[in-house]
Amino acid sequence: MKKLFTLLAFLTCFMGANAKEIVDAEVDFSKYSDISEVKWAGWGASESALARLSIQDGCLHFHSEEATDPTWDCQFHPIGFGNNAEVDVTYTLHFKIKGTVAQNVSMLGFGQTPYGAFPITTEWVEGTVDYVASSTSGDILMQCGDYVGDWDIAYLKITHEGKEERPVEWIEHLTNGNAETPWGDLANVRWNDGENNFKICAWAKEKGRNMNENDGWDPFPADIEQVDGSNVFVVHGQVADTEGDPSAWDNQFWIQAPDPKIFKVGNQFKLHFRYKASENATTNTQFHHQNPSDYVFYQAVGDVNFTTEWQDFDGVFTVPDAATDAWSIAFNLNPQNKNAINFYFDDLSVQTMKLDEGLFVAGSNTATGLEYDFDNAIELVYDENLESYVGTIGTAGKPDTWVNELMISTVRGNDRAFKSATLKPSGNFIGEDNWDNYTESSNAKIKVAAGVWTVTINTEYMQMNLVQVEGDAPQEKPEINPNPYVAVVNALERDDLADDNETIREEEGGTGQTWDNQFWIRANRALDKGEVTILQFKYKASRDAKSTTQCHGEPGAYMHWSAIGDVNFTTEWQDFEQTFTVPSEADGMLSIAFNMAEIKEACDYELKDFVWKLEDGTESLINQTGADNFFVKVVGGATYSLGINNVMSSSKVSTVTYNLAGQRVSNSYKGIAVKNGKKVVLK
């Protein structure tokens, strides 16, 4: 408990005596007698995980006699957290666990990548693990396909330290969510009628009904029927016999919001409904656009487990970064049970917080410890002469009120809501006439020189400007010159037993992968999602070749499949320049990886004259001399820094192991993996 005590002590000092432990989610498995009873928001498990999970002796019990291939085929959410994390907040997972084999199980928690480790020991352990949320996706996902043996979890709890916020009022948005009023003329509204379909709060799709000219079937306003003495929404699901994965959405149901702002990225919403079915079935949920069936994001409010008895679903959720322009919540009714099933929904409710609306600015000073006070954020007032909104933060003549960081939001009344509705400028502006465009964002912080600042915002043109009233002199932009170091990657032939068509032949024992040869440019600090950077370098190779790129944490720690796109090498020097915005999936990234085994043949790659800087020119992200920011790996070798080793030692053995998705795993990992540049089977 030492770590938890230290965290509490630190936060108490930093946040003040009002800091308290807030419970975000909790599950006590002694309350369940069977795995089918598990219904918490966000619960979900793959088929192979469900086959290994049960409730025994008041614990969540896992039993596996062999590893799955791939290992991530066996995965589940051990606790529902409903995409409810807050960026940059430290969360603590409390657990009690015991296993027959001591092993770290791969776990994704609170928006973190790469995967973390959930420790399983052979004795009962009550412990804690801390996580810092880097996105709003607060789910915990355990991948345990490489665990062979048994383990038991008695309880799980997620907490964080924070201040108790003032109560908020919640506003209902759905009309006719109780299904008591027949649709009338609205029954004829088409699913793709953009002007009217939002007037329907419940949509349905049944295989073979409402056919279209493409031999498919379209959504329609959900049927309203009397069941158990009251009107409810009904989906008369038909046999889901479409080939492959699409059978999961042969029959669907949607809860449609009347306004897209309700499911705006970062917004919190309360969801309630009653539900049952004619037989037991597990359904998936997704976010969709305004038109039902127009997919946005695969995860909405978790899986919903239907039984033949009425149940209540309740949860508070945060719209994740990937659900941009979401307008409805979709229920895929047949991911597992493909039978003809009747699904019933009633008392639909979608609520959001009642907040002050306008333009508000709050500030902090990271140097002096002055904290954000979002409850008392300053409201900008409209100035008719300027045709803009104006407000000043900080008090002239009082340096203890100076701020060096600002957040500007369109709402006030809840800390998380404030941060989710911020405005983000596109560049660095300082001066009376130096305006800049802004966009809507979440958790956007504007760094400035310490002082008193006047904020001016023109909403018609979506532009803002900041003018310093008094304070420290603004930091001058540094001179950024290209780093002339020549990075050489002597890429070896990929070992894939391929023919001349460069096809990896795994069925014949080939071990080749596109990341067998790699090069990394590593920044000097972690980058936040949304940061806009410029990357420049010169490049050539000994033959024509293509390199794909990815976002990594430390070199080799995969985060996101896409970075700066493909880099096409020729035998002549070329100039590369691209503006690169850190994707939300790679929040906290450190490096850009170049996969240099896209071609099978050996190839010598050269890169030089590197510049990686913020778009506004205020910071160089790499050193301007030397090789410390460059890393290499070739077939059969370990990852090494060019700043330390210019020549690979043949005796150097990698201690890093990756799964086939390119994710780093522990040394106790079992199954097919990539180690020391080779594909191996670990037992």
Side-chain angles (χ1 to χ4, degrees), residues 278-311:
S278 58
E279 60 182 83
N280 293 351
T282 296
T283 67
N284 306 142
T285 61
Q286 301 172 333
F287 281 110
H288 283 205
H289 289 292
Q290 180 179 359
N291 294 345
S293 283
D294 190 359
Y295 169 85
V296 176
F297 185 57
Y298 75 96
Q299 174 69 287
V301 298
D303 294 349
V304 180
N305 300 305
F306 284 74
T307 68
T308 56
E309 301 295 328
W310 283 106
Q311 304 175 66

Side-chain angles (χ1 to χ4, degrees), residues 190-192 203-214 216-221 254 292-293:
R190 294 272 305 163
W191 66 281
N192 57 357
W203 289 85
K205 188 177 77 170
E206 300 169 3
K207 184 168 186 180
R209 178 176 170 183
N210 197 24
M211 299 296 291
N212 57 44
E213 59 186 13
N214 298 318
W217 47 100
D218 293 332
F220 53 86
W254 291 265
S293 283

Side-chain angles (χ1 to χ4, degrees), residues 129-154:
V129 179
D130 293 341
Y131 297 92
V132 178
S134 57
S135 77
T136 57
S137 179
D139 295 333
I140 287 180
L141 177 68
M142 290 185 68
Q143 293 185 340
C144 38
D146 59 346
Y147 192 94
V148 178
D150 297 75
W151 49 252
D152 293 275
I153 300 177

Side-chain angles (χ1 to χ4, degrees), residues 35 333 338 347 432 441 495 498 590:
I35 197 70
L333 301 179
K338 310 296 182 180
D347 295 340
E432 295 286 350
S441 184
D495 179 18
L590 278 166

Side-chain angles (χ1 to χ4, degrees), residues 12 16 23 37 44 49 74 82 121 256 274 285 389 401 425 455 464 511 517 658 666:
T12 300
V23 178
E37 298 176 359
C74 181
T121 63
Q256 171 93 322
R274 294 196 311 131
T285 61
Y389 293 85
T401 69
V455 179
M464 68 166 66
T511 59
N517 300 299
Y658 303 90
S666 69

Side-chain angles (χ1 to χ4, degrees), residues 309-507:
E309 301 295 328
W310 283 106
Q311 304 175 66
D312 287 280
F313 182 98
D314 288 282
V316 178
F317 302 91
T318 301
V319 181
D321 298 335
T324 303
D325 297 327
W327 202 314
S328 61
I329 297 173
F331 294 73
N332 296 332
L333 301 179
N334 301 109
Q336 296 179 14
N337 192 332
K338 310 296 182 180
N339 296 339
I341 304 172
N342 294 328
F343 293 88
Y344 306 96
F345 297 82
D346 195 12
D347 295 340
L348 311 182
S349 172
V350 175
Q351 300 181 4
T352 58
M353 290 179 285
K354 182 178 181 180
L355 302 167
D356 299 331
E357 296 186 359
L359 290 168
F360 309 91
V361 59
S364 73
N365 193 314
T366 57
T368 64
L370 180 67
E371 297 180 19
Y372 283 105
D373 182 2
F374 298 111
D375 286 344
N376 297 303
I378 296 167
E379 183 172 12
L380 276 61
V381 179
Y382 189 74
D383 185 315
E384 293 186 356
N385 293 325
L386 297 176
E387 297 182 339
S388 301
Y389 293 85
V390 182
T392 298
I393 185 166
T395 303
K398 295 185 176 181
D400 60 333
T401 69
W402 289 2
V403 298
N404 66 2
E405 192 174 272
L406 304 176
M407 296 184 77
I408 303 170
S409 180
T410 59
V411 298
R412 181 181 62 184
N414 175 270
D415 288 4
R416 183 176 297 186
F418 184 102
K419 289 183 277 189
S420 72
T422 52
L423 305 181
K424 179 181 179 180
S426 60
N428 182 28
F429 46 73
I430 294 176
E432 295 286 350
D433 300 319
N434 193 2
W435 291 71
D436 205 353
N437 299 326
Y438 67 82
T439 57
E440 295 181 348
S441 184
S442 60
N443 207 43
K445 298 176 181 178
I446 306 171
K447 298 184 184 299
V448 294
V452 179
W453 288 86
T454 295
V455 179
T456 307
I457 296 180
N458 185 301
T459 55
E460 180 181 359
Y461 296 103
M462 295 188 69
Q463 292 186 326
M464 68 166 66
N465 190 24
L466 305 182
V467 175
Q468 189 182 43
V469 178
E470 69 174 27
D472 294 340
Q475 182 179 358
E476 295 184 3
K477 291 184 180 181
E479 182 179 355
I480 300 177
N481 298 307
N483 182 332
Y485 181 81
V486 180
V488 178
V489 182
N490 301 123
L492 301 180
E493 182 174 337
R494 190 179 65 205
D495 179 18
D496 56 13
L497 298 183
D499 54 24
D500 292 336
N501 294 325
E502 302 178 358
T503 302
I504 296 174
R505 303 284 288 279
E506 294 184 20
E507 70 276 11

Side-chain angles (χ1 to χ4, degrees), residues 626-647:
D628 289 345
N629 296 101
F630 312 117
F631 293 74
V632 167
K633 182 191 76 173
V634 298
V635 173
T639 299
Y640 64 97
S641 167
L642 290 176
I644 300 175
N645 300 318
N646 287 325
V647 178

